[in-house]
Amino acid sequence: MLKDSFERLETDRRLRDNPLASHLAPFATSLVENGYVKSTVQSKLNLLASFGQWLERRRLSITDFDEQVAERFIAYKRRKGRVHRGNRETLLQFLDDLRKRDVIPVPAPTCDDSPLAAILTRYERHLRSERGLAAATVINYLPCIRKFLIERFREKPPVIHEVRSSDVSDFILRHAPTMSPRRAQLVTAAFRSFFRFLFQDGDLQVNLALSVPSVADRRLSTIPKYLSPDQVERVLGTCNRQTATGRRDYAILLLLARLGLRAGEVVSLQLDDVDWRTGELLVRGKGLLHDRMPLPVDVGEAVTSYLRMDRPPCKTRRVFVCMKAPRSGFAGPSTLTTIVRRALDRADLYPALRGAHVLRHSLATTLLRSGASMNEIGEILRHRTPNTTEIYAKLDFDGLR
């Protein structure tokens, strides 16, 4: 495929004295490795040939290429009425490839030495190195603290010892009506974490974490949303196991339904996490904790079938990858939510909870009604405290009676 693409470009007048000519071959190779089809590779190379010609006319070299130059070229194409969907992405993809191969230096990160940035940097380092929190938690916490400090001190540098408990409660009362209950709980959790950090480091003489108001937690006001065992089997049966995508989705749904894995745990599953000799699975859970779980026979067979027949060759070590280019691991748990929702639609099921977690709830419910104890359910779901499992006690209607 590469040979055909370059035979066309070698006869293209746009490549004569083109400053990009020597860099297109490595880029095309990376495209093929990432699963792009011939027509897409050809289209991207044609665009870059035009881009190189545009650079030549403006007497720009490859080292002048950056995001601003890419935007100038897109604006030029737009004026000519020749800009197409994906052109900008191709240029940025090529720019990233050049930087990875050290053809173009990676731009130095902008250094923010403001007092606000210094506080947030210290707090982020505390969350990552001392608390060991997952990246997603850190990403959620920092914007909450930044927004609070900006609103409290306006344009002035933040002076931490001037913060009062009334500032915290006023901020939460002001913004809570615009948030969902779960989001408000996350904000208060971020505040408690931040003020504990400041108190431990001596920036505050009083632990303001104790003054952060609580958000009503109504998780026990309703019963967990779940599917019956028959409905779970209907969902699994909707996967077309005659196709590569269907076999991949079937393996994913089995991991969710049989082991009760969280969506993020399935996304982060690595090839080395499956111990075929002992029949065990390493689960990278919440809080950077790792657990080993037995691999049921049907789950193991589904994963094996996908790995042997359907997983495309790619550089990532993730078990489940995108079937279309670029072939990489899933972007995040939302991808699994989409897979579950499509399976529910095919099964003509419309429960109140339509994400991947409904299968986790369904497993716990089935275990409870089969006679499993709360401790056993908590061990299977890898809950760290019994309080997390207690919500399923509401489903034991016979016991409640």
Side-chain angles (χ1 to χ4, degrees), residues 47-308:
L47 174 69
L48 294 176
S50 298
F51 176 57
Q53 193 177 32
W54 180 84
L55 289 176
E56 185 72 16
R57 289 198 300 269
R58 281 154 183 77
R59 298 183 179 179
L60 297 173
S61 67
I62 187 66
T63 56
D64 297 317
F65 183 23
D66 58 13
E67 287 80 2
Q68 287 72 31
V69 172
E71 290 300 327
R72 286 173 55 191
F73 178 67
I74 291 296
Y76 161 78
K77 295 276 286 183
R78 185 175 289 110
R79 289 194 301 270
K80 295 290 186 179
R82 299 173 184 170
V83 66
H84 299 288
R85 180 181 178 183
N87 284 171
R88 178 181 286 102
E89 289 74 13
T90 295
L91 291 174
L92 297 179
Q93 190 179 20
F94 182 53
L95 177 61
D96 182 62
D97 180 74
L98 293 174
R99 285 172 174 168
K100 287 180 178 177
R101 294 190 289 110
D102 295 326
V103 176
I104 298 177
V106 177
T110 56
C111 183
D112 185 355
D113 55 358
S114 65
L116 174 61
I119 294 172
L120 293 176
T121 300
R122 285 175 49 211
Y123 178 52
E124 181 180 3
R125 189 181 305 117
H126 165 76
L127 294 177
R128 293 184 184 276
S129 60
E130 297 183 29
R131 293 286 309 283
L133 298 185
T137 305
V138 177
I139 292 172
N140 281 320
Y141 277 15
L142 290 178
C144 303
I145 305 305
R146 176 186 292 276
K147 185 175 182 178
F148 167 73
L149 294 176
I150 290 175
E151 288 192 13
R152 169 61 179 81
F153 295 100
R154 304 293 178 181
E155 301 297 330
K156 300 177 182 179
V159 182
I160 293 301
H161 67 263
E162 294 182 0
V163 177
R164 300 289 181 265
S165 59
S166 58
D167 299 327
V168 181
S169 57
D170 289 346
F171 178 88
I172 294 175
L173 291 174
R174 185 166 58 252
H175 292 284
T178 65
M179 304 178 188
S180 67
R182 293 295 297 273
R183 178 64 185 177
Q185 288 173 353
L186 185 146
V187 171
T188 55
F191 278 2
R192 293 188 187 98
S193 169
F194 180 60
F195 290 128
R196 281 196 296 266
F197 157 71
L198 294 176
F199 181 66
Q200 292 169 3
D201 270 26
D203 296 272
L204 287 175
Q205 299 303 312
V206 178
N207 186 5
L208 291 182
L210 302 176
S211 66
V212 178
S214 298
V215 177
D217 183 3
R218 308 193 187 280
R219 69 186 184 90
L220 297 179
S221 62
T222 60
I223 63 174
K225 310 300 187 296
Y226 65 94
L227 302 175
S228 67
D230 290 341
Q231 290 174 328
V232 171
E233 294 305 317
R234 279 174 57 188
V235 171
L236 295 172
T238 63
C239 297
N240 183 1
R241 294 161 66 184
Q242 302 303 313
T243 66
T245 301
R247 286 187 288 268
R248 182 202 65 183
D249 292 352
Y250 180 69
I252 290 173
L253 293 174
L254 273 179
L255 286 168
L256 297 171
R258 300 287 191 258
L259 296 178
L261 300 188
R262 303 177 180 93
E265 294 166 348
V266 176
V267 169
S268 61
L269 194 62
Q270 306 280 329
L271 292 173
D272 299 327
D273 293 341
V274 185
D275 189 336
W276 299 107
R277 185 179 297 277
T278 61
E280 290 184 338
L281 192 68
L282 178 67
V283 180
R284 303 169 188 271
K286 296 173 66 176
L288 303 182
L289 297 175
H290 294 176
D291 296 285
R292 288 198 172 275
M293 297 189 68
L295 191 63
V297 175
D298 57 344
V299 180
E301 290 176 349
V303 174
T304 301
S305 176
Y306 160 71
L307 292 177
R308 287 180 173 176

Side-chain angles (χ1 to χ4, degrees), residues 223-224 226 365 368-369 391-398 400:
I223 63 174
Y226 65 94
T365 304
L368 179 67
R369 292 182 173 175
I391 188 174
Y392 298 108
K394 303 173 69 173
L395 295 171
D396 187 6
F397 299 132
D398 293 333
L400 290 174

